[in-house]
Amino acid sequence: MVGSVAILAGCNAPHSEEAEERNNVPDVVPPPVHTIVLAASNEPVKLEGIATVLNPDALLQLDADIRSATVAANFSHGQLERFKASTMLSRQTLENAVRQEGIDASQLKLLLTRLQQSWGDKAPFLNADARQTLMADIANGSRAVLRLDFSDMAADLPRNVRVVPLRGGSETKVDVLWAAPSGNLAMPGVSFFGLINAGPGLRAGDRARVIADSPERLNGVVIPSSALVVFGGKSWCYVETEPSKYERKLVSLEAPVDDGFFVESGFDPGTRVVVKGASVLLAREAAPGSFDDDDDDGPGPQAPATAGTAKPAASSVAQGHSAPTNDPD
């Protein structure tokens, strides 16, 4: 009997040590969660609109009329000055020259006013020298005139304006931009005129998508794209409310920026946001027990999100599930 007991004791000793080691191992393995601190941002909000490449015929015709009127006005003015210097002309001839000089000057002024009213008082071709060069480029098709319509933005000029043809292609920078004197009845908002280098998909009558930066800079934070997870058709991110405790919050995608999405409210500077492991936290939140492993055959997959508690949002995604058993609270 004594020998049997010794044998049993010898068999049980390693088993007891193994059980003791298993009891000392934590029930969970920390998930690969990485957070960053949100900094205050005043980055411009991205804007989108519609651009229409305008037919330049009316502008070219107006330019031709202005050229003719300028020649006539200069001739009438010069003739009047010559008549005034002469003592051999009758008074009636001098009065006719004065009248003609006034008519030609009025006609030129009318055409210049029409140009300004049609294209805005900041149009680059109001200047006679600039107009001569620009009209030549527009006439030969190397430059194109755009109308840019934004549905909602301030009246100030947007920045970094680019257009992309609707049928596809690379972005083209709008290198000259000015406010249009009137809006677009088909798209209420703010309108501008612009000049670009013409190319495929950017000819007269073509339409394009406009991408620009808002002139206004709003205070808020930028939620990185890497922090976003999608659930229920909406976009969310996880914030660290306490060490190793996370809460899911809704993120608005209305204001995209280069590195993510700009939000004005709901997130304060200094908040820690999960940028790695958010999808694991979402899976843990939806099914807290789905990663449990009770087999003794090997280490097996562990629940990576159990280093902390993923707190559901206001509308829980895991109704009916209990919180993880290792909640620090």
Side-chain angles (χ1 to χ4, degrees):
M1 179 65 69
V2 175
S4 299
V5 173
I7 293 174
L8 289 175
C11 294
N12 288 337
H15 178 74
S16 299
E17 292 175 359
E18 179 183 356
E20 183 178 354
E21 290 178 359
R22 291 186 60 185
N23 291 334
N24 293 333
V25 174
D27 294 336
V28 294
V29 176
V33 173
H34 178 66
T35 62
I36 64 169
V37 178
L38 296 180
S41 174
N42 61 350
E43 294 188 17
V45 177
K46 297 296 181 182
L47 301 172
E48 291 196 8
I50 295 295
T52 304
V53 184
L54 302 178
N55 189 320
D57 290 349
L59 177 60
L60 294 175
Q61 182 60 56
L62 183 56
D63 174 64
D65 294 340
I66 291 174
R67 288 170 183 263
S68 298
T70 301
V71 171
N74 290 338
F75 177 81
S76 298
H77 179 72
Q79 187 178 54
L80 177 60
E81 293 301 318
R82 289 192 299 271
F83 285 1
K84 286 181 178 179
S86 175
T87 58
M88 304 296 293
L89 298 176
S90 65
R91 182 174 180 179
Q92 182 179 3
T93 301
L94 183 60
E95 290 177 349
N96 288 338
V98 171
R99 183 176 65 254
Q100 188 62 45
E101 193 266 350
I103 292 174
D104 292 341
S106 297
Q107 179 64 22
L108 177 59
K109 183 177 180 180
L110 175 63
L111 292 172
L112 292 174
T113 301
R114 183 186 302 173
L115 179 67
Q116 181 176 354
Q117 290 178 343
S118 300
W119 295 96
D121 56 5
K122 298 296 183 180
F125 33 72
L126 292 183
N127 178 272
D129 295 334
R131 183 168 65 250
Q132 184 175 358
T133 302
L134 288 174
M135 292 303 129
D137 293 339
I138 293 172
N140 64 30
S142 62
R143 298 280 278 171
V145 183
L146 298 170
R147 184 182 183 92
L148 309 148
D149 298 307
F150 295 93
S151 60
D152 184 20
M153 64 164 291
D156 293 337
L157 292 179
R159 299 180 176 88
N160 192 24
V161 183
R162 296 94 67 202
V163 293
V164 182
L166 291 182
R167 59 186 179 184
S170 59
E171 294 182 355
T172 300
K173 183 177 179 58
V174 180
D175 47 17
V176 181
L177 185 73
W178 68 97
S182 61
N184 188 344
L185 296 179
M187 186 177 180
V190 181
S191 299
F192 302 89
F193 286 127
L195 288 172
I196 60 168
N197 293 325
L202 296 174
R203 304 291 184 181
D206 289 336
R207 292 171 69 82
R209 184 168 63 97
V210 184
I211 307 170
D213 294 336
S214 169
E216 297 180 345
R217 292 180 176 268
L218 306 176
N219 294 324
V221 297
V222 174
I223 306 298
S225 299
S226 58
L228 298 180
V229 291
V230 178
F231 181 83
K234 298 180 179 180
S235 296
W236 311 77
C237 74
Y238 281 93
V239 300
E240 188 176 37
T241 57
E242 298 179 25
S244 299
K245 295 186 67 176
Y246 308 94
E247 179 181 359
R248 179 164 51 85
K249 298 187 68 174
L250 188 65
V251 179
S252 171
L253 306 184
E254 294 180 357
V257 294
D258 291 337
D259 301 325
F261 295 88
F262 179 84
V263 293
E264 293 185 68
S265 60
F267 297 86
D268 297 325
T271 302
R272 300 196 71 91
V273 173
V274 176
V275 293
K276 180 180 179 181
S279 58
V280 176
L281 293 177
L282 180 63
R284 176 74 182 174
E285 179 185 342
S290 61
F291 294 99
D292 290 344
D293 180 55
D294 296 327
D295 296 334
D296 295 332
D297 296 335
Q302 300 294 330
T306 52
T309 301
K311 183 179 179 181
S315 56
S316 175
V317 299
Q319 295 180 0
H321 290 286
S322 59
T325 56
N326 62 321
D327 193 322
D329 295 336

